[in-house]
Amino acid sequence: MSTVNPRRWWALVVLAAAQFMVIMDTSIIGVALPQMQEDLGFSQGELQWVFNAYVIVFGGLLLLGGRLSDLVGARRIFVSGWAIMIAGSILAAAAQTAWVEIAGRAVQGVGGALIAPSAMTLLMMLFMHDPKELGKAMALYGAAAPAGGTAGVFLGGVFTEWAAWQWCFIIYVPIGIATLAATKLLPNVESRRGSVDVLGAVAVTAGLALGVFAVVRAPEVGWGSTATVLELAGAAALIVLFFVIQKAVREPLMPLSVWRVPRLGSANLAMTLLGAAWIPMWYFLNLYLQQVLGYGAFASGAALLPMTGLLMIFMTAITAKLMAKVGAKPLIGVGLLVLAAGLLWLAAVEPTGSFLVDVLPASLVAALGMSLAYIPAMIAAMSGAPQEQAGLASGIVNTTYNVGSALGLAALTAVAMSQGAAELGNLPKLTEGFSAAFVGAAIIAAVGGVITLLVMKSDKALAGPAPAPAAEQQGEKVTA
């Protein structure tokens, strides 16, 4: 039967470090994008693939990562993920062409897809014995995300300004090796019998990639063109095929019965829309600072520090306390609406704007909304899952956030390009395009907030996943 791990808080440091690095991998390249665009020959519309190559593979394979964590053992998958992440980082740093860079980012995405759900599974196993400890551990683990975002924008600026953008990837090699050396602190979970639904993983990943590819190309080839229609139809067919496979196979990647878990559906919808609003905001704000206001890489990274600092403070010191008092539903709903307000404020940016007037106050409002919604949505999505499905629930919630991020960025990039963001050097048109993207992101966040407040079941205290039935617990042994 499960035992309390005496080294659980040290193990949490390793898991939080992994969360820190996975999130930093999405933020560190933000301020480096213009320099990478110049060196590797990306067009303005293609540049998003530096980000989307990671999140598509990451989001598409998270369910597989969660399933492997449940079957093979979370620590083994955690170690494998870091080995792959290191390899992808070396490839991305060595890239001399755009497509090699995209390939490196995709390999990093594979590593992240193994790291994230296995880390969450290990955290649940370490702390589910005590709801109070679990809440504290989740708050610290969640705070590692904005901390990684903060470090990413800062280090990305430092490396790009005074060294080279390649260091944004090289840094993962020594940190990854150090993390691998510390995995002896993590609990060793025995493997369980079962099969892996590889066909389902291929179908969902290919469907997501094809859908994003279609949306990215649509402004160029036409939304009504034969190519776009066929690509979107193919993406839809692959997603439908994924669900058919899940219903047909004996051990599916995502058992459809998991959606009976309370709040799982509404919380994951909230996470999808949160990612679809937040990531495009961060992406286009980076471009506005550098391509319109003329900031250098370091200055652009420093300009985002107040926003990420507020995120870290609120997630660690305030959000958990608020959730204990009012529950997840109001925080998620209000947080998304506050995010929408910040995005609408950002939509008022001017070609001759300034950081203090056009960026700082609006970005802080948006960050406040994100800090209110993110952790409550994460906990709400996992709170009812039994222990044996912890990896699956973690994979689902991370998948929906990253699917939302990829599709949101692709769609809003198309909006921005159609409104003038493709015209580099034309500051009024660039600003008009970025403003349109901020408006679109605000609409997405507002819709998410309204749906959450109307649909999600109320709660007063989410203590964490429900314990597994006694008969199932007896068959699962966790050792230090």
Side-chain angles (χ1 to χ4, degrees):
M1 56 186 299
S2 297
T3 59
V4 177
N5 190 320
R7 299 184 295 179
R8 61 192 179 280
W9 294 106
W10 287 110
L12 177 63
V13 173
V14 178
L15 299 176
Q19 170 79 332
F20 178 96
M21 296 302 293
V22 168
I23 299 301
M24 193 173 84
D25 204 19
T26 64
S27 66
I28 197 170
I29 54 97
V31 294
L33 286 174
Q35 188 61 52
M36 295 172 70
Q37 180 179 17
E38 181 178 336
D39 290 352
L40 298 178
F42 285 101
S43 71
Q44 185 81 335
E46 293 170 344
L47 190 60
Q48 64 175 301
W49 282 105
V50 179
F51 179 83
N52 269 346
Y54 178 87
V55 298
I56 287 172
V57 176
F58 180 53
L61 294 179
L62 273 167
L63 289 175
L64 179 61
R67 175 66 174 165
L68 289 173
S69 296
D70 292 337
L71 291 180
V72 179
R75 189 167 80 171
R76 294 186 187 93
I77 296 303
F78 185 84
V79 169
S80 300
W82 269 109
I84 295 171
M85 175 69 79
I86 292 170
S89 300
I90 293 172
L91 180 60
Q96 298 295 313
T97 66
W99 290 109
V100 174
E101 182 63 41
I102 291 171
R105 291 289 286 162
V107 174
Q108 284 187 308
V110 175
L114 298 180
I115 293 169
S118 58
M120 183 64 75
T121 301
L122 289 165
L123 185 149
M124 291 295 175
M125 291 177 175
L126 287 165
F127 292 99
M128 4 181 3
H129 65 279
D130 185 338
K132 290 184 179 179
E133 281 198 0
L134 178 60
K136 183 184 295 186
M138 284 291 292
L140 293 171
Y141 181 80
T150 302
V153 295
F154 178 75
L155 290 175
V158 170
F159 291 149
T160 306
E161 189 83 17
W162 288 305
W165 58 262
Q166 286 86 349
W167 279 95
C168 295
F169 304 109
I170 294 172
I171 190 175
Y172 281 87
V173 178
I175 293 177
I177 293 172
T179 302
L180 288 174
T183 54
K184 62 183 180 180
L185 294 168
L186 301 176
N188 185 31
V189 185
E190 293 181 356
S191 59
R192 295 192 289 115
R193 289 185 178 181
S195 60
V196 178
D197 178 19
V198 176
L199 184 59
V202 171
V204 71
T205 305
L208 174 60
L210 185 57
V212 173
F213 179 75
V215 174
V216 169
R217 286 212 317 152
E220 178 184 347
V221 302
W223 284 96
S225 68
T226 301
T228 300
V229 171
L230 289 176
E231 287 161 1
L232 290 174
L238 285 167
I239 298 300
V240 170
L241 175 63
F242 168 72
F243 283 103
V244 171
I245 293 170
Q246 301 316 286
K247 191 172 182 180
V249 300
R250 177 179 296 181
E251 296 187 66
L253 192 63
M254 185 184 70
L256 300 184
S257 61
V258 74
W259 292 100
R260 300 193 192 107
V261 171
R263 290 176 296 273
L264 183 70
S266 56
N268 274 280
L269 176 59
M271 286 295 279
T272 302
L273 298 177
L274 186 62
W278 175 258
I279 293 301
M281 183 214 74
W282 166 84
Y283 178 87
F284 287 108
L285 190 55
N286 265 306
L287 294 183
Y288 173 75
L289 288 167
Q290 295 191 52
Q291 295 181 348
V292 177
L293 298 189
Y295 279 35
F298 177 75
S300 178
L304 298 176
L305 288 179
M307 177 175 67
T308 50
L310 184 146
L311 272 170
M312 186 165 57
I313 292 170
F314 261 78
M315 282 188 177
T316 54
I318 297 174
T319 302
K321 293 180 180 178
L322 288 174
M323 188 169 169
K325 292 181 178 180
V326 303
K329 175 180 175 176
L331 290 181
I332 300 169
V334 171
L336 281 162
L337 293 176
V338 172
L339 173 58
L343 286 162
L344 280 178
W345 196 343
L346 278 174
V349 291
E350 297 286 345
T352 57
S354 69
F355 169 72
L356 290 177
V357 174
D358 293 79
V359 175
L360 180 61
S363 68
L364 291 179
V365 171
L368 174 61
M370 178 64 168
S371 67
L372 290 174
Y374 183 80
I375 289 180
M378 178 74 72
I379 294 178
M382 297 187 64
S383 61
Q387 181 177 342
E388 71 274 10
Q389 288 187 326
L392 173 61
S394 172
I396 290 173
V397 70
N398 279 285
T399 295
T400 54
Y401 181 80
N402 283 279
V403 167
S405 300
L407 293 177
L409 181 56
L412 294 177
T413 295
V415 170
M417 295 299 107
S418 69
Q419 296 300 311
E423 299 185 29
L424 283 173
N426 187 334
L427 299 190
K429 294 299 291 183
L430 271 177
T431 305
E432 185 178 341
F434 297 157
S435 178
F438 291 139
V439 170
I443 293 172
I444 292 171
V447 169
V450 171
I451 291 176
T452 297
L453 294 173
L454 291 176
V455 173
M456 182 177 285
K457 292 183 178 179
S458 298
D459 62 274
K460 277 295 182 182
L462 290 177
E472 293 171 348
Q473 287 183 359
Q474 290 174 1
E476 187 167 3
K477 181 179 180 182
V478 180
T479 57

